Amino acid sequence: MADEMLRVVEFYSGIGGMHFALKGCRFSGKVFAALEINTTANQVYQLNFGDTKLLQKNIEGLTVQDLDGLSPDVFLMSPPCQPFTRVGLQGASKDPRTRSFLHILELLPQLSRSPNYILMENVKGFETSDTREQFLHTLKACGYSYQEFLLSPTQLGIPNSRLRYYLLAKKKPLQFHFATRDEIMESFPYMITRDKCDNQCSDCGRDCVAEPGCTTNEVKPTGLLPASDCTVDSTHRDRHNTGCLKCLQAKVNVELKPVLDKYNPTNCRKIGDYLEKGNNDNYFEKYLLPAKVLSKFVLLLDIVNRQSARSCCFTKAYGHYAEGTGSVLKMADIDDTEIFERYRDLTDDQSKLELLSVLKLRYFTPREVANLHGFPSDFCFPTSVSVKQQYRLLGNSLNVHVVSELLNCLFQSPT
């Protein structure tokens, strides 16, 4: 599998987040076609992936022949999220912006060679929509097995919250290397090796982990796995499961501790690791919060500093609207507790602004947002794309590292 060059079709390609994720995973793949209707996003994509066939066309106009001609192994897609966001109308399948995705679902059963692999990303909220039900129904009808996830970059040690829905699908008889579940998983799947184990069941003497029928092969960040996750078919199920769990716990403590530590949200890196380096304060002046934002919204802002191990999700309205669109950075190396205590006692607006100015609050630059989203250092925007447009495009994008990890899980074959 690792030596095969997978043929990839990238729907809703945007600024290339899926493409970068594919390049960053352990498996070889090539995007044979990228489809995106947004002209500004296509300028960015073309600059970064000039050799890729980029089709600026409405997906609703695609035919079975169009897709069959590409002979795809993989579909990557991140359909419009507005129909499913909690701040939107949540029209789901009734929203016109969902039509293109529903069109893909209509085409999938008609393809003479449907893809072996599918990865889809969307906002939290998709999982409760009727569109999701149609998606799952189509996958089952077309012979796919699948697993759904709700994941955030914080689980990879990245100090940025961006909880998103993901679905991985494999066409049967291909199998996942981890045990799938009916419910949505909220952690990355990592397989425990099923080799012979020294811990044996005290009742029957059989090897606990290697017991046929046991599907407990996923490590949870919380450590001990509940007995309900094990499906050993024996007359002494509970006692045997206890032994099995002890064996698994030993493996977690010894062999897999580095993995669990890596994906522990408490071990996030610092914001300072993602900031632009080598620029003086003059460079960041254009990103300082305007006076009107400070005067009206300062108490509603999420303020972080270089030592913070978290930040809020950046949306497409970042830099335009203040509340709930992403964190702002305090550049001054001072404790702001006393500043805000004094601020609340002031009644004069000018005095308030003068007091707040010492904090040097600024927006994260587009490059810094891209860093937090996992875009590589060589990713860039055309000079013709404004800062406001850059924020919008990044807000509509995804976290590259999360998708790379999921692609590894998708393409990995069972051992």
Side-chain angles (χ1 to χ4, degrees):
M1 172 65 209
D3 296 330
E4 298 178 12
M5 176 63 75
L6 296 166
R7 296 177 61 91
V8 179
V9 175
E10 184 184 12
F11 297 96
Y12 314 100
S13 51
I15 57 175
M18 289 282 190
H19 198 148
F20 280 118
L22 179 68
K23 292 180 66 176
C25 80
R26 298 193 307 268
F27 298 88
S28 299
K30 179 179 179 181
V31 178
F32 277 79
L35 296 96
E36 175 60 60
I37 199 170
N38 185 304
T39 55
T40 307
N42 283 341
Q43 293 176 39
V44 181
Y45 193 101
Q46 196 69 62
L47 179 63
N48 289 276
F49 300 107
D51 296 333
T52 299
K53 182 180 181 181
L54 178 58
L55 304 175
Q56 184 169 324
K57 62 185 301 182
N58 192 329
I59 289 173
E60 293 178 57
L62 286 176
T63 66
V64 171
Q65 291 72 26
D66 290 333
L67 292 182
D68 275 339
L70 295 171
S71 301
D73 297 308
V74 186
F75 277 1
L76 302 180
M77 47 188 169
S78 182
C81 63
Q82 293 89 343
F84 314 104
T85 57
R86 58 184 177 83
V87 296
L89 298 177
Q90 296 182 326
S93 294
K94 297 179 182 178
D95 192 306
R97 290 167 290 191
T98 309
R99 290 174 186 164
S100 59
F101 179 61
L102 297 177
H103 182 66
I104 296 173
L105 299 186
E106 291 176 3
L107 295 180
L108 191 61
Q110 304 176 52
L111 298 179
S112 59
R113 185 180 181 274
S114 55
N116 286 326
Y117 306 94
I118 296 174
L119 185 149
M120 183 269 205
E121 182 263 4
N122 215 280
V123 294
K124 175 174 170 52
F126 180 88
E127 76 280 4
T128 61
S129 69
D130 64 333
T131 308
R132 176 242 189 180
E133 296 303 318
Q134 293 185 53
F135 188 22
L136 299 188
H137 175 79
T138 301
L139 291 175
K140 292 174 184 176
C142 292
Y144 286 90
S145 56
Y146 60 85
Q147 180 61 59
E148 299 172 282
F149 299 87
L150 283 172
L151 301 170
S152 175
T154 55
Q155 293 169 274
L156 298 182
I158 300 168
N160 181 240
S161 298
R162 196 173 184 83
L163 184 62
R164 289 294 184 268
Y165 170 92
Y166 300 91
L167 182 140
L168 306 181
K170 276 190 172 185
K171 192 171 183 182
K172 297 175 182 178
L174 295 175
Q175 296 179 330
F176 287 98
H177 78 283
F178 58 91
T180 58
R181 302 177 179 179
D182 290 335
E183 67 268 23
I184 297 175
M185 293 176 63
E186 297 184 4
S187 61
F188 289 87
Y190 290 95
M191 186 172 179
I192 293 180
T193 305
R194 290 167 175 262
D195 54 1
K196 188 170 181 179
C197 173
D198 293 334
N199 291 4
Q200 294 180 326
C201 176
S202 58
D203 292 297
C204 69
R206 286 180 289 181
D207 297 325
C208 297
V209 171
E211 173 68 12
C214 179
T215 60
T216 305
N217 61 359
E218 184 214 354
V219 179
K220 294 181 179 179
T222 51
L224 190 64
L225 293 89
S228 60
D229 281 358
C230 197
T231 58
V232 175
D233 184 15
S234 67
T235 57
H236 59 284
R237 173 185 170 88
D238 292 337
R239 293 192 298 276
H240 189 90
N241 279 2
T242 301
C244 182
L245 291 177
K246 287 181 180 178
C247 175
L248 290 173
Q249 184 64 43
K251 283 183 173 287
V252 168
N253 290 340
V254 177
E255 298 177 13
L256 295 167
K257 188 176 185 302
V259 176
L260 296 179
D261 286 346
K262 179 181 178 183
Y263 298 107
N264 186 340
T266 62
N267 292 337
C268 281
R269 296 174 63 183
K270 305 301 182 185
I271 287 293
D273 296 336
Y274 297 84
L275 301 180
E276 290 195 66
K277 306 295 192 299
N279 294 309
N280 56 34
D281 288 353
N282 292 333
Y283 170 79
F284 296 108
E285 281 188 0
K286 64 181 177 180
Y287 297 104
L288 290 173
L289 269 63
K292 62 180 180 180
V293 174
L294 285 175
S295 60
K296 292 183 179 180
F297 302 105
V298 68
L299 297 180
L300 301 176
L301 297 172
D302 181 70
I303 301 172
V304 299
N305 58 49
R306 290 180 176 85
Q307 297 304 311
S308 298
R310 60 154 202 91
S311 61
C312 292
C313 178
F314 296 99
T315 75
K316 66 178 183 180
Y318 189 67
H320 182 60
Y321 293 109
E323 185 179 0
T325 61
S327 301
V328 298
L329 180 69
K330 182 184 69 172
M331 294 182 66
D333 189 18
I334 58 176
D335 186 354
D336 58 20
T337 304
E338 181 182 350
I339 297 294
F340 281 105
E341 287 178 354
R342 293 167 55 192
Y343 173 86
R344 290 181 174 87
D345 293 333
L346 295 174
T347 57
D348 177 66
D349 288 345
Q350 186 60 36
S351 299
K352 287 182 177 181
L353 288 175
E354 291 176 0
L355 178 64
L356 293 173
S357 65
V358 302
L359 297 176
K360 295 183 179 180
L361 299 178
R362 71 167 175 87
Y363 294 110
F364 284 77
T365 70
R367 178 65 255 180
E368 291 165 345
V369 176
N371 292 343
L372 285 163
H373 285 185
F375 283 80
S377 58
D378 58 352
F379 165 76
C380 56
F381 287 98
T383 55
S384 59
V385 178
S386 69
V387 170
K388 181 179 179 180
Q389 289 173 315
Q390 291 176 38
Y391 284 137
R392 289 185 63 85
L393 294 169
L394 288 165
N396 282 330
S397 190
L398 47 78
N399 190 282
V400 173
H401 291 316
V402 173
V403 177
S404 282
E405 288 289 338
L406 288 174
L407 287 174
N408 288 332
C409 295
L410 178 62
F411 299 144
Q412 178 67 51
S413 301
T415 55

